[in-house]
Amino acid sequence: MTGYVEVPARTGETALPGGRLLGWAEWGPEDGVPVLLCPGAATSRWLGFGAGVVEALGVRLVSVDRPGLGVSTPAAGRTFSDFAADMRQLCAMRGLEHPLVVGNSQGAPFALACAAEGVASALAVVSGADEVAAPEFASVLAADLRDLVERTACDPAGTEEFFAGFTADAMWDMVLAGSPECDLAVYQDPAFAAAYRRALDEGFSQGAAGYARDTVLAMGRWPFALDEIAVPVDIWYGEQDTTHSPDNGALLAARMPDARHHVVPGIGGALLWTHAEPVLRSLLTRRQQGAQRVEV
């Protein structure tokens, strides 16, 4: 255990009605408030957050391997809607009901899909991959990212094949190369680095096809209507985060009717691990507010 992460308290695999397996890991009390984590790019269920915090807040944190990552069965051609349907089934089978949902980095649009399709009761997007294909961002993207967005739009199959050439080592190098010093202090912590590398190795254990499918979905236009997401949403970005959103989530927050925008000084994309407690406390408060609105 470090100040950032700890090993899961429980791990397992759940067989969906169609026979595919979804791998999951849990932290915190089994009877705690369910919080579903949609983890970042190419990382497996192994990498959680909130070491010590989930227990103190009574949170049952559940991280799930997306299809093709970790131990979850691949699902070629899957969509955001397919993922939300998987999570609906998993929640019913694991007694999670309508969980709170956290989407980190590339997991953010998958978490938003859960909110759009009624799976989530409240949502926190933390250092989320933004909808970089949105026309509002076309003029502000770096040239290499703009080229990838255009390539994804014109040739999604070819772009998916390109991303399928990535490796765990390449992902780790990319994370470090794009991180400010404040984030490197987290990522290069020996215990955290070991946990992150293990999660990447597990994420790529079936090859890179799962990561490639996630990336093409995330880099294209998102098919769900953000302005129709009715649940409470908190949008969190570190002030020094230059990789996840062109405007640190300002446009993303403005597109949802009940979204609050938080920009935290002194940190970048490692925000999920350095500020786990305020993220979870805010999410729990939003859950209570939502329940009170339903009662009224």
Side-chain angles (χ1 to χ4, degrees):
M1 173 178 173
T2 76
Y4 305 114
V5 294
E6 60 187 347
V7 298
R10 299 168 294 277
T11 60
E13 301 170 14
T14 295
L16 299 178
R20 286 188 296 113
L21 296 178
L22 288 179
W24 50 264
E26 293 189 0
W27 296 258
E30 291 187 78
D31 60 351
V33 177
V35 176
L36 178 67
L37 172 63
C38 298
T43 54
S44 73
R45 58 183 173 165
W46 188 260
L47 188 66
F49 72 100
V53 176
V54 291
E55 293 83 359
L57 296 181
V59 164
R60 176 188 176 190
L61 179 66
V62 183
S63 182
V64 181
D65 288 340
R66 288 188 288 276
L69 278 71
V71 297
S72 289
T73 306
R78 59 185 167 85
T79 64
F80 284 121
S81 185
D82 292 334
F83 175 78
D86 282 353
M87 294 305 100
R88 182 177 289 107
Q89 290 183 322
L90 181 70
C91 288
M93 298 173 75
R94 295 284 304 154
L96 305 180
E97 299 178 347
H98 291 284
L100 304 170
V101 176
V102 175
N104 174 240
S105 188
Q106 198 175 79
F110 294 92
L112 286 161
C114 288
E117 301 210 12
V119 177
S121 58
L123 172 65
V125 171
V126 186
S127 306
D130 209 334
E131 189 180 13
V132 290
E136 294 88 343
F137 290 145
S139 64
V140 299
L141 298 180
D144 55 348
L145 178 56
R146 185 170 60 251
D147 289 346
L148 278 175
V149 170
E150 293 173 354
R151 181 175 178 181
T152 300
C154 295
D155 183 16
T159 308
E160 189 167 341
E161 184 177 352
F162 165 74
F163 285 120
F166 274 55
T167 64
D169 287 342
M171 285 297 300
W172 176 246
D173 291 343
M174 187 167 65
V175 168
L176 295 184
S179 296
E181 288 297 323
C182 54
D183 287 354
L184 292 176
V186 178
Y187 298 146
Q188 293 178 336
D189 172 90
F192 184 87
Y196 202 126
R197 288 305 307 263
R198 173 172 178 169
L200 284 174
D201 289 342
E202 290 183 350
F204 281 100
S205 62
Q206 301 183 68
Y211 161 72
R213 185 61 184 167
D214 282 355
T215 304
V216 166
L217 289 173
M219 294 193 69
R221 291 307 308 268
W222 298 347
F224 38 84
L226 291 173
D227 61 355
E228 295 179 5
I229 291 178
V231 301
V233 181
D234 279 294
I235 308 291
W236 296 83
Y237 284 89
E239 188 178 38
Q240 297 187 39
D241 187 349
T242 61
T243 61
H244 290 107
S245 170
D247 62 359
N248 272 0
L251 177 62
L252 183 61
R255 294 170 68 187
M256 288 177 279
D258 191 9
R260 299 189 306 197
H261 186 212
H262 311 262
V263 178
V264 181
I267 194 63
L271 177 67
L272 182 67
W273 296 283
T274 61
H275 289 71
E277 184 169 358
V279 167
L280 287 172
R281 283 193 183 277
S282 182
L283 193 56
L284 292 169
T285 299
R286 298 284 259 169
R287 170 178 175 265
Q288 293 172 347
Q289 292 171 344
Q292 289 169 354
R293 285 200 296 267
V294 171
E295 290 174 1
V296 172

